[in-house]
């Protein structure tokens, strides 16, 4: 663990990313403390500039506090990113592990199913899914999960294919170990590093998809989100730039931070890259 | 020596900080005369390959570099010359053959194209002339049909042919020095014998000085004029081949030489009447099938194991010997049911285990266990050693306490400290890992042990330790063993009986001594004749 941290901290930008990410998480967790009111609550001061009338980042066309929206939106974004990623990783690992381990017909069937999902452009697929189910937090999570698990399945399948013929796995067979145990206890720990890396990068993508959906009006109408704020402020862009800009910056730095952390994890966990340094 | 091609004096090669030792090579002094073969012998990590790379200026700079000393080549100090001059010297005056003929050739260029490059960079010749020279060279190294091989890609040639092509390239400009870094280690014995003969023939014609790096004393005995023995970066002994091999002075050399297994088979033991394992007419083919969505031609069928019948008596060690691709590992995996054989019977305690499904097979697993070849791949890097050994008995129904007690006992038997229990495999050396692998196999109290090249990835001194451990265990537990190996020296020391395999078939079986004294099949005779260092017996 110490060793891991040493390698991770060698990558300066990854540490910076981690700091920003921690800040975002911190803001999200104290959102209800610093802005105890509903972010949808409107005041009598529409279109206040940043700093005016007690609005730190200004207010929008009907007087909602932009800063409050960003803080509460951070909670939404991170939560959706995390849950959707966990679900996608779970499904992907199950599909990939079974396909890679059993091979043959099982592999053929599971991988053709995976390919069906991969052939549909992911964002359009997500829009379609949310439009069919009614827009809500759950439907957004489901949509993001459905479009992002195939990548994990592909990755895990490759890792399992390579591990399957390693001698230590064969040794487990000769001991009479069950398939389930070999996959879970012997093979899976050996491909955790790439799964962690792809998972961390998927959180960033999930946040982008969520914002995109909210921008198109397909987010949960009762939950504040960055995409919703941008969508709401875009018609005012020329008179009140701050409504769109600050949520946009929030998305930008959060996604950037997560990507930097993901890169750092990749450098620290990937043994092939490690040799190069 | 009046006539010296190369004189290395007091060379130190430094390693990056934080390595196991400061200097990879320390105070190295070697010289080489024209037409002479100097063998550098040593175990892994002795610094012999870095020495070779230092001569070519191929050290992985800036971390590893020559920090002190001179490499005097015909009056020039190779540690001081410019990069440009070094490029001129490489290939034309000093050239090198590598260990892996698979990776040393560029897979997307024809053999002719790669030879052509050497001429293009070093001498001016017309394209037609260069091509003619290339064909001539391939002919010189006795490749069949050179006019065609010039146009083939490396993957179209066999391992031995590739190494011949490498030699042709190395000798293209008639260098004064040829450095050969374990050039035959990846090859089969029969091919190895041919390559060694080729190198010495070429050397005789061109008066090349050959610096031959190897770990195999048999090879040394066959080709060396002089020998330098390296240990931990020091040359501990140099001298003529006769002096070093037959009258070694340094204790390390003595230990190394006494670790080389003798070619004289050990005395036969009485054969038990009780058969523990019978393999009857087992077949195994690969390929040929096509997957569910895969239309088109079925792939080529390889008959890996063809109609093999063997019998193993109690307490006996049966050696299965053969070259790579002979199907010996596939046979081992069929016996242990890691692969399903296509047809035939494998009878263990009166039951044909080929008919059993996974669940039915589980109780039988305990009776037959396997030791794997690669100690670095055969232990799960994420599982602690104690758990690796313990899990077998637990799967077979032992309680946690029983399994743990058994594990500690086994660690002792295989000669490891009890503290190993809570450590991870990467904290152990290759030999220690192989001991862990053996302990894992023994944890189930098997009757039969299938050992698939258990020592071929290990250095010769560690090889001896593991072999004597196996021997000890076999006697103590009355184990029967199927011992797969390509090394006839090891087979002679370990096996009571031998089965010689070629192209998936067993061509000859018999008592080890009988096979060594009077081989019946012509292939067995070829194999025995190809073992390096026959005329030398310590």
């Amino acid at each position: 663990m110490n060793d891991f941290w040493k390698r991770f901290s060698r990558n300066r930008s990854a540490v910076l990313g981690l700091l920003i990410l921690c800040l975002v998480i911190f803001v999200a967790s104290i959102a209800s403390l610093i802005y105890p009111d509903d972010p949808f609550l409107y005041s009598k001061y529409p279109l206040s500039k940043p700093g005016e009338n007690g609005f730190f980042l200004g207010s929008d066309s009907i007087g909602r506090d932009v800063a409050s929206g960003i803080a509460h939106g951070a909670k939404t974004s991170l939560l959706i990113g995390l849950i959707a990623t966990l679900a996608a990783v779970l499904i992907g690992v199950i599909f990939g592990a079974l396909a890679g381990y059993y091979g043959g017909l099982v592999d053929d069937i599971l991988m053709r199913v995976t390919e069906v999902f991969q052939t549909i452009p992911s964002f359009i697929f997500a829009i379609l899914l949310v439009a069919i189910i009614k827009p809500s937090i759950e439907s957004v999570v489901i949509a993001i999960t459905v479009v992002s698990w195939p990548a994990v399945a592909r990755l895990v399948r490759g890792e399992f294919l390579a591990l399957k013929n390693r001698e230590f796995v064969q040794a487990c067979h000769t001991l009479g170990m069950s398939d389930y145990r070999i996959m879970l206890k012997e093979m899976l720990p050996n491909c955790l590093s790439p799964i962690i890396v792809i998972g961390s990068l998927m959180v960033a993508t999930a946040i982008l998809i969520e914002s995109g959906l909210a921008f198109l009006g397909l987010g949960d109408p009762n939950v504040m989100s960055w995409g919703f704020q941008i969508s709401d402020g875009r018609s005012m862009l020329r008179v009140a730039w701050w409504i769109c800009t600050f949520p946009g910056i929030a998305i930008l730095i959060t996604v950037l931070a997560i990507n930097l952390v993901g890169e750092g994890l990749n450098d620290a966990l990937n043994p092939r890259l490690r040799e190069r340094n | 020596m009046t006539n010296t091609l190369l004189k290395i004096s007091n060379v130190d090669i430094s390693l990056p900080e934080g390595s196991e030792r400061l200097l990879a090579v320390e105070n190295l002094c070697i010289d080489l005369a024209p037409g002479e073969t100097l063998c550098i012998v040593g175990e892994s990590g002795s610094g012999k390959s870095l020495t070779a790379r230092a001569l070519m200026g191929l050290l992985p700079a800036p971390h590893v570099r020559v920090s002190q000393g001179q490499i005097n080549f015909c009056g020039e100090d190779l540690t001081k010359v410019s990069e440009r001059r070094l490029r001129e010297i490489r290939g034309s005056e000093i050239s090198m053959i590598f260990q892996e003929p698979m990776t040393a050739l560029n897979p997307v260029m024809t053999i002719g194209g790669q030879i052509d490059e050497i001429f293009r960079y070093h001498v001016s010749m017309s394209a037609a002339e260069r091509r003619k020279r290339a064909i001539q060279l391939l002919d010189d190294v006795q490749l069949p049909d050179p006019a065609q091989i010039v146009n083939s890609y490396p993957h179209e040639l066999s391992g031995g042919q590739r190494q011949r092509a490498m030699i042709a390239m190395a000798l293209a400009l008639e260098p004064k020095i040829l450095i050969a870094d374990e050039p035959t280690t990846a090859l089969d014995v029969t091919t190895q014998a041919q390559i060694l003969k080729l190198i010495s023939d070429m050397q005789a014609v061109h008066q090349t000085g050959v610096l031959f790096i190897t770990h195999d004393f048999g090879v040394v005995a066959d080709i060396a004029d002089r020998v330098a023995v390296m240990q931990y970066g020091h040359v501990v002994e140099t001298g003529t081949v006769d002096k070093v091999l037959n009258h070694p002075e340094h204790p390390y050399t003595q230990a190394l030489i006494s670790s080389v297994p003798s070619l004289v088979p050990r005395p036969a033991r009485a054969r038990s009447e009780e058969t523990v394992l019978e393999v009857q007419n087992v077949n195994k083919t690969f390929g040929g099938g096509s997957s569910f969505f895969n239309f088109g031609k079925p792939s080529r069928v390889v008959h890996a194991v063809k109609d093999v019948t063997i019998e193993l008596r109690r307490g006996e060690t049966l050696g299965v010997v053969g070259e790579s691709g002979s199907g010996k590992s596939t046979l081992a995996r069929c016996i242990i049911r890691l692969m399903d054989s296509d047809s035939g019977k494998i009878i263990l305690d009166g039951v044909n285990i080929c008919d059993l499904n996974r669940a039915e097979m589980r109780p039988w697993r305990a009776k037959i266990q396997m030791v794997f070849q690669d100690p670095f791949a055969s232990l799960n890097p994420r599982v602690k050693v104690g758990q690796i050994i313990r899990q077998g008995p637990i799967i077979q129904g032992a309680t946690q306490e029983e399994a743990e007690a058994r594990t500690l006992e086994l660690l002792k038997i295989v000669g490891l400290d009890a503290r190993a229990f809570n450590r991870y495999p990467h904290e152990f050396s290759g030999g220690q890992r192989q001991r862990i692998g053996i302990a894992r196999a023994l944890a189930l109290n098997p009757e039969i042990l299938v050992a698939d090249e258990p020592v071929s990835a290990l250095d010769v001194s560690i090889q001896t330790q593991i072999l004597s451990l196996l021997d000890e265990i076999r006697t103590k537990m009355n184990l029967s063993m199927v011992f797969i190996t390509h090394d006839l020296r090891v087979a002679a020391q370990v096996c009571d009986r031998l089965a010689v395999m070629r192209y998936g078939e067993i061509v000859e079986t018999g008592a080890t001594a009988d096979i060594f004294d009077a081989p019946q099949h012509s292939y067995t005779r070829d194999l025995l004749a190809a073992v390096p260092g026959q005329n030398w017996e310590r």
Side-chain angles (χ1 to χ4, degrees):
Chain A
M1 194 61 207
N2 235 335
D3 194 33
F4 164 78
W5 176 246
K6 212 197 277 174
R7 279 199 303 273
F8 183 81
S9 57
R10 199 184 296 164
N11 188 338
R12 291 277 163 75
S13 50
V15 177
L16 180 70
L18 191 63
L19 284 178
I20 297 174
L21 190 60
C22 287
L23 187 74
V24 175
I25 293 171
F26 178 70
V27 168
S29 56
I30 59 161
S32 314
L33 290 176
I34 46 174
Y35 297 107
D37 293 334
D38 186 346
F40 287 100
L41 192 74
Y42 48 84
S43 66
K44 53 188 177 197
Y45 305 110
L47 298 178
S48 309
K49 285 190 176 142
E52 272 177 19
N53 303 325
F55 294 114
F56 175 49
L57 297 175
S59 67
D60 69 3
S61 53
I62 51 171
R64 286 176 297 208
D65 188 344
V66 174
S68 164
I70 288 176
H72 285 270
K75 211 162 54 182
T76 319
S77 289
L78 290 178
L79 218 59
I80 287 180
L82 206 66
I83 295 172
T85 302
L86 285 180
V89 166
L90 185 72
I91 299 173
V93 165
I94 292 172
F95 263 66
L98 291 175
Y101 184 81
Y102 288 108
L105 194 61
V106 178
D107 183 30
D108 275 334
I109 293 171
L110 291 180
M111 279 302 117
R112 291 313 87 84
V113 172
T114 313
E115 275 160 19
V116 168
F117 282 89
Q118 284 188 311
T119 46
I120 307 169
S122 56
F123 192 63
I124 294 174
F125 195 20
I127 293 173
L128 185 73
L129 285 171
V130 178
I132 293 170
I133 328 168
K134 69 176 183 12
S136 68
I137 288 273
E138 293 83 31
S139 66
V140 171
V141 169
I142 290 170
I144 295 173
T145 307
V146 165
V147 299
S148 38
W149 69 270
V152 186
R154 282 270 163 205
L155 174 90
V156 174
R157 172 179 175 266
E159 293 286 325
F160 265 59
L161 277 179
L163 283 172
K164 185 169 70 166
N165 291 321
R166 292 274 290 277
E167 286 184 342
F168 72 82
V169 176
Q170 298 195 332
C172 293
H173 282 291
T174 68
L175 294 174
M177 206 179 271
S178 62
D179 286 343
Y180 164 76
R181 209 189 140 111
I182 292 180
M183 282 192 266
L184 213 63
K185 291 260 175 93
E186 300 284 332
M187 292 165 82
L188 197 56
N190 278 290
C191 52
L192 271 188
S193 330
I195 295 175
I196 290 173
V197 171
I198 198 177
S200 67
L201 296 176
M202 267 168 56
V203 174
T205 324
I207 290 176
L208 280 178
I209 297 179
E210 188 273 332
S211 304
L213 288 172
F215 179 79
L216 294 177
L218 290 165
D220 193 321
N222 303 314
V223 177
M224 182 49 76
S225 112
W226 294 338
F228 168 78
Q229 285 185 293
I230 297 176
S231 153
D232 188 53
R234 74 178 195 283
S235 52
M236 303 268 162
L237 192 57
R238 296 175 72 174
V239 280
W241 56 270
W242 56 89
I243 308 175
C244 283
T245 309
F246 292 113
I249 291 173
I251 294 175
L252 176 79
I253 61 168
T254 310
V255 170
L256 184 71
I258 295 173
N259 274 311
L260 288 176
V261 171
E263 284 286 317
L265 285 176
N266 195 22
D267 287 352
L269 293 172
N270 193 331
R272 263 157 294 176
L273 287 173
R274 208 180 299 159
E275 278 162 23
R276 228 188 277 158
N277 297 332
Chain B
M1 213 168 295
T2 49
N3 189 2
T4 314
L5 260 182
L6 180 75
K7 189 167 176 57
I8 304 177
S9 29
N10 311 96
V11 160
D12 285 359
I13 298 176
S14 62
L15 287 173
E17 275 173 52
S19 310
E20 252 175 67
R21 54 178 197 249
L22 276 176
L23 298 173
V25 171
E26 200 171 340
N27 202 12
L28 180 84
C29 300
I30 289 178
D31 46 47
L32 184 70
E36 183 188 47
T37 304
L38 173 69
C39 274
I40 300 184
V41 201
E43 296 187 296
S44 46
S46 63
K48 52 192 197 308
S49 283
L50 280 181
T51 307
R53 280 177 171 59
L55 290 184
M56 294 289 275
L58 289 176
L59 288 176
H63 306 295
V64 181
R65 59 194 173 79
V66 176
S67 53
Q68 199 189 319
Q70 293 184 333
I71 301 175
N72 190 331
F73 168 69
C74 300
E76 273 178 289
D77 186 355
L78 292 187
T79 59
K80 302 231 163 52
V81 297
S82 65
E83 187 60 28
R84 190 192 160 95
R85 172 71 187 134
L86 208 53
R87 265 204 301 277
E88 276 170 28
I89 292 174
R90 280 183 209 147
S92 64
E93 290 174 65
I94 303 180
S95 60
M96 187 156 176
I97 323 174
F98 296 89
Q99 176 173 352
E100 275 292 340
M102 318 281 173
T103 51
L105 288 165
N106 185 343
V108 297
M109 264 177 93
T110 61
I111 300 289
Q114 297 184 48
I115 298 179
D116 195 59
E117 271 192 327
I118 304 170
F119 291 124
R120 261 209 328 266
Y121 290 129
H122 288 288
V123 284
S124 63
M125 266 196 242
S126 72
E129 225 176 317
R130 289 201 301 262
R131 191 181 158 79
K132 227 176 90 191
R133 275 285 289 147
I135 294 177
Q136 175 63 38
L137 274 169
L138 293 175
D139 196 34
D140 286 348
V141 294
Q142 294 149 33
L143 276 167
D145 200 0
Q148 201 204 324
I149 283 190
V150 141
N151 293 325
S152 19
Y153 288 90
H155 71 265
E156 296 174 88
L157 307 183
S158 70
Q161 286 177 328
R162 271 179 231 165
Q163 202 59 299
R164 279 170 195 272
M166 275 297 294
I167 294 174
M169 284 167 64
L171 295 177
L173 297 173
E174 305 198 357
K176 297 189 179 107
I177 296 178
L178 177 67
I179 300 168
D181 187 3
E182 305 247 13
T184 57
T185 309
L187 304 175
D188 285 327
V189 269
T190 47
T191 324
Q192 163 170 300
Q194 293 162 10
I195 296 291
L196 291 179
K197 184 168 179 307
L198 176 69
I199 291 178
S200 62
D201 288 351
M202 302 306 274
Q203 180 185 19
V205 176
H206 302 294
Q207 279 300 299
T208 321
V210 175
L211 195 69
F212 198 101
I213 291 162
T214 183
H215 65 277
D216 187 338
F217 274 96
V219 172
V220 175
D222 277 355
I223 61 155
D225 296 316
R226 283 190 313 126
V227 184
V229 183
M230 286 188 78
Q231 180 194 21
Y232 304 134
H234 294 269
V235 172
V236 295
E237 186 161 0
T238 44
T240 61
V241 65
D242 174 60
K243 185 179 149 283
V244 173
L245 290 193
N246 297 325
H247 313 285
E249 277 166 10
H250 193 277
Y252 179 70
T253 320
Q254 288 166 351
L256 264 189
I257 287 178
S258 68
S259 317
V260 178
S262 163
L263 255 185
V264 179
R266 59 180 219 169
R269 300 181 303 167
R271 205 174 177 211
S272 156
E273 288 302 309
E274 190 193 350
T275 302
V276 288
L277 175 79
E278 258 183 283
V279 176
Q280 291 173 358
N281 309 96
V282 163
N283 281 287
K284 175 76 190 171
T285 51
F286 289 116
S290 58
S291 69
F292 185 54
F293 286 97
N294 191 1
F295 304 104
K297 269 194 293 185
S299 51
R300 197 168 60 98
V301 179
V302 179
H303 222 120
V305 174
K306 212 187 275 175
D307 219 16
V308 165
T309 300
I310 51 177
E311 187 194 9
L312 185 68
R313 301 276 178 89
R314 184 167 298 283
E316 177 179 69
T317 301
L318 173 73
V320 179
V321 296
E323 298 183 298
S324 53
S326 64
K328 52 193 195 308
S329 278
T330 309
L331 176 64
R333 280 168 168 68
C334 285
I335 292 176
I336 199 133
R337 283 292 308 276
L338 272 175
M339 287 176 182
D340 291 325
S341 45
D342 298 343
S343 65
K345 288 181 181 167
I346 294 167
I347 299 172
L348 185 66
D349 279 359
V351 175
N352 180 10
I353 57 171
C354 287
D355 294 339
L356 303 177
N357 65 28
R358 252 186 99 85
E360 290 167 340
M361 185 65 205
R362 194 157 299 150
W364 294 89
R365 293 277 187 206
K367 292 179 187 295
I368 181 162
Q369 282 293 304
M370 186 151 181
V371 177
F372 292 87
Q373 171 174 2
D374 185 351
F376 292 91
S378 65
L379 304 176
N380 190 340
R382 305 262 171 157
V383 178
K384 284 180 181 166
V385 169
Q387 177 64 16
I388 288 177
I389 302 173
R390 188 171 62 171
Q391 58 194 5
I394 289 176
I395 291 164
Q396 298 288 344
T399 64
Q400 293 280 345
E401 292 78 37
E402 283 168 9
E404 193 162 328
R406 176 92 185 117
T407 305
L408 292 172
E409 184 194 335
L410 280 165
L411 283 174
K412 205 166 148 196
I413 290 175
V414 299
L416 288 172
D417 199 283
R419 276 173 299 183
F421 194 89
N422 276 321
R423 290 161 72 184
Y424 284 98
H426 70 255
E427 299 172 49
F428 296 90
S429 70
Q432 288 172 322
R433 285 174 186 223
Q434 200 56 302
R435 286 171 193 270
I436 297 168
I438 292 170
R440 168 176 59 194
L442 295 176
L444 296 176
N445 278 319
E447 291 173 23
I448 301 167
L449 202 59
V450 178
D452 184 8
E453 305 255 14
V455 294
S456 60
L458 305 173
D459 276 330
V460 61
S461 55
I462 292 159
Q463 180 173 327
T464 326
Q465 293 167 13
I466 297 291
L467 288 178
S468 63
L469 172 67
L470 281 174
D471 203 48
E472 199 179 294
I473 289 164
R474 183 181 59 176
T475 333
K476 208 185 277 177
M477 305 188 171
N478 199 19
L479 277 176
S480 315
M481 231 192 311
V482 177
F483 193 98
I484 315 270
T485 183
H486 69 282
D487 189 336
L488 285 169
R489 283 177 182 273
V490 170
Q493 292 315 306
V494 175
C495 306
D496 300 305
R497 292 174 66 78
L498 286 183
V500 183
M501 274 189 95
R502 183 179 61 163
Y503 306 144
E505 283 176 294
I506 290 194
V507 297
E508 187 169 356
T509 44
T512 309
D514 295 345
I515 286 191
F516 272 73
D517 293 341
Q520 299 299 310
H521 197 276
S522 62
Y523 177 66
T524 318
R525 283 197 286 272
D526 290 346
L527 265 188
L528 282 166
V531 176
Q534 317 236 355
N535 302 323
W536 167 68
E537 198 52 64
R538 63 196 156 86

